[in-house]
Amino acid sequence: MIPLTLARIAQVTGGRLGDRTDPGAVVSGEVVIDSRRAGPGGLFAAVTGERADGHDFAAAAVAAGAVAVLATRPVPMPSVLVTDVPAALAALARTVVDALPATRIAGITGSSGKTSTKDLAAQLVERLGPTIAPAGSFNNEFGHPLTVLRADASTRYLVLELSARGPGHIAYLCRIAPPRYGVVLNVGHAHAGEFGGLDQVARAKGELAEALPPDGAAILNADDPRVMAMAARTAARVVTFSVNQHARRPHQSLQSHVPQPSVRAADVRLDDLGRPSFTLLTPEGSAPVTLRLHGAHNVPNALAAAALAGELGLGLDGIADGLCAAVARSRWRMEVHQRADGVTVINDAYNANPESVRAALDALAHLARSQLAQGGRGFAVLGHMAELGGTSRASHEDVGEYAARVSDSGLAGLIAVGEEAAPMLDGARRVPSWTGEAIAVPDGAAAVDLLANRLKPSDVVLVKASRAAHLEGAAAVLLGEPGP
Ligand SMILES: Nc1ncnc2c1ncn2[C@@H]1O[C@H](COP(=O)(O)OP(=O)(O)OP(=O)(O)O)[C@@H](O)[C@H]1O
Ligand SMILES: [Mg+2]
């Protein structure tokens, strides 16, 4: 963080200094809410959660070197007392942003693929200069300001992930660190239950487009009509990307009244492990790209990252090289592991919603198809998709039906983990031609036991569920690793 005295921190957060607190003491290290991550020169923010009270860990944080504690009640160590810790973090983060006018800020939102795209974009933008991007999915009212607070005078770029569970959330995050560049990936069913439907999700995601200034760029997915409609809600220049509209080559655009998307992918193909190769088409020219990430859904993510990096000034060669070199930085998203016995395990257990499960089933079907000659079959271990509201049951049935249809013969086995996932099996049974097994199990351990008797070399297993199901543990056991 840029160095700030405790007096200044109290001033910008509307707080007051606690007893035995030196107003001139300077915070220059990281601001953290996990005392185990506290270090010299840092600030520990005590958050009161459902399970734990951060104030109980204040002493440990100070012992680890934290200069002071941001607290909501008196603590026996140097402190700044505030009424609301997230609001204080937001005010502090905004102070840091305002002190760094040369730092360019990009925000990425969408229902699926934010973290994947943010990790790709960060690896491109780092080629231009010092970049701060969150680790994993630090994208809410805590993670967002904590990420912004890591910026200092050397930071040239902030590449941020913005999440929304309701209207106004993204607008709030944009006030903390006003983005000049905004990427909207897609509008899908993640948290749709909380929002009340896709149009409401679109309304909320579009708050990013609305927050952009006239000299900024709104980078929109031309393949998603709800995202494209956000072009009418922004003062910024609109830049588009598309996987589907690749057929129109530049000369053909002259015949069309609709401008072709700025960044496109042509000739997309997947290798045996589902890694996409494609020709990247940009206003600057074209270049071949092969991703190290798995799944066709990473193509739009890569195009979005390319469009953002291009806006920030990275040339076509840097973008293409960067995309080819980029690795998966955040765990449990489409991790493809091969066991010694020849079984492939796709650990995509980080989270699940209807669109992301379909994307993962597509990848599973592709991998299984490429193992077909060796007798390989596909198995899906799927837990529930959370927060879908009234459409939950139907959405689970539809995903099950999709699993049964996804490749010519469908999957060899669909294993639904937990009661809420069970309707997937009803959906799969709606496909009369499907001959695979549909099995309900109570938990991840039972899924692992069941597969132990079934898996043969060359089989491919996908493990996926909403975060709450913690199926990454099952994936680890399948791989013979100690659980996470
Ligand atoms: N563009 C995409 N379209 C559909 N599904 C996707 C896309 N990108 C990623 N996914 C799927 O979503 C999963 C989660 O990806 P990622 O973590 O990048 O999303 P996120 O938007 O950050 O999610 P969260 O809301 O949990 O932060 C991936 O493992 C993959 O199954
Ligand atoms: Mg995320």
Side-chain angles (χ1 to χ4, degrees), residues 113-116 137 139 161 297 301 333 348 351 356 464:
K114 296 179 291 296
T115 296
S116 308
S137 247
N139 60 16
E161 173 173 338
H297 59 272
N301 299 344
R333 289 151 179 100
D348 197 33
N351 218 342
S356 75
K464 187 164 182 72

Side-chain angles (χ1 to χ4, degrees), residues 89-226:
L89 291 174
L92 203 50
R94 181 59 197 252
T95 301
V96 167
V97 163
D98 289 344
L100 302 172
T103 301
R104 299 216 262 170
I105 303 173
I108 298 171
T109 196
S111 296
S112 301
K114 296 179 291 296
T115 296
S116 308
T117 304
K118 175 266 298 174
D119 287 343
L120 281 169
Q123 290 175 76
L124 299 182
V125 177
E126 280 160 10
R127 292 177 172 238
L128 291 167
T131 301
I132 298 272
S137 247
F138 257 40
N139 60 16
N140 63 12
E141 71 274 28
F142 291 107
H144 182 73
L146 290 176
T147 302
V148 173
L149 286 166
R150 285 167 46 210
D152 62 22
S154 71
T155 307
R156 296 273 73 88
Y157 303 97
L158 281 170
V159 177
L160 303 168
E161 173 173 338
L162 312 180
S163 78
R165 304 173 85 87
H169 290 189
I170 289 180
Y172 172 80
L173 300 178
C174 289
R175 283 195 295 277
I176 294 175
R180 194 155 129 201
Y181 306 86
V183 176
V184 187
L185 293 167
N186 43 49
V187 170
H189 289 85
H191 309 304
E194 290 163 22
F195 281 102
L198 286 185
D199 291 335
Q200 285 79 355
V201 175
R203 181 121 291 286
K205 304 282 178 206
E207 290 167 13
L208 172 56
E210 286 170 353
L212 301 171
D215 64 350
I219 297 164
L220 303 179
N221 183 353
D223 297 333
D224 186 326
R226 285 192 175 84

Side-chain angles (χ1 to χ4, degrees), residues 113-401:
K114 296 179 291 296
T115 296
S116 308
T117 304
K118 175 266 298 174
D119 287 343
L120 281 169
Q123 290 175 76
L124 299 182
V125 177
E126 280 160 10
R127 292 177 172 238
L128 291 167
T131 301
I132 298 272
S137 247
F138 257 40
N139 60 16
N140 63 12
E141 71 274 28
F142 291 107
H144 182 73
L146 290 176
T147 302
V148 173
L149 286 166
R150 285 167 46 210
D152 62 22
S154 71
T155 307
R156 296 273 73 88
Y157 303 97
L158 281 170
V159 177
L160 303 168
E161 173 173 338
L162 312 180
S163 78
R165 304 173 85 87
H169 290 189
I170 289 180
Y172 172 80
L173 300 178
C174 289
R175 283 195 295 277
I176 294 175
R180 194 155 129 201
Y181 306 86
V183 176
V184 187
L185 293 167
N186 43 49
V187 170
H189 289 85
H191 309 304
E194 290 163 22
F195 281 102
L198 286 185
D199 291 335
Q200 285 79 355
V201 175
R203 181 121 291 286
K205 304 282 178 206
E207 290 167 13
L208 172 56
E210 286 170 353
L212 301 171
D215 64 350
I219 297 164
L220 303 179
N221 183 353
D223 297 333
D224 186 326
R226 285 192 175 84
V227 174
M228 273 315 286
M230 294 173 195
R233 294 167 60 189
T234 188
R237 197 161 42 79
V238 172
V239 175
T240 54
F241 62 94
S242 164
V243 178
N244 297 335
Q245 297 169 43
H246 60 81
R248 260 190 305 138
R249 300 281 173 166
H251 66 277
Q252 288 174 300
S253 69
L254 298 173
Q255 299 157 11
S256 166
H257 298 298
V258 184
Q260 69 180 346
S262 321
V263 177
R264 291 164 296 141
D267 311 320
V268 177
R269 60 213 171 273
L270 304 181
D271 73 5
D272 282 357
L273 290 178
R275 285 170 299 210
S277 291
F278 57 93
T279 304
L280 174 67
L281 304 170
T282 76
E284 234 190 287
S286 65
V289 168
T290 297
L291 298 179
R292 292 168 190 239
L293 309 180
H294 304 263
H297 59 272
N298 275 310
V299 179
N301 299 344
L303 297 185
L308 172 60
E311 284 300 312
L312 291 172
L314 189 63
L316 177 60
D317 290 346
I319 291 173
D321 286 354
L323 288 176
C324 294
V327 294
R329 281 193 173 164
S330 303
R331 290 217 59 191
W332 308 327
R333 289 151 179 100
M334 292 305 289
E335 287 179 14
V336 176
H337 302 274
Q338 277 176 308
R339 294 196 328 199
D341 67 354
V343 169
T344 303
V345 178
I346 307 174
N347 180 356
D348 197 33
Y350 182 75
N351 218 342
N353 61 58
E355 288 79 17
S356 75
V357 178
R358 281 183 176 79
L361 285 167
D362 287 342
L364 168 64
H366 179 85
L367 265 71
R369 216 176 287 129
S370 61
Q371 295 295 321
L372 207 57
Q374 286 76 42
R377 304 160 301 161
F379 290 86
V381 177
L382 301 180
H384 77 291
M385 304 175 289
E387 295 159 345
L388 294 174
T391 63
S392 178
R393 191 183 166 85
S395 296
H396 282 86
E397 288 175 2
D398 290 349
V399 156
E401 181 174 340

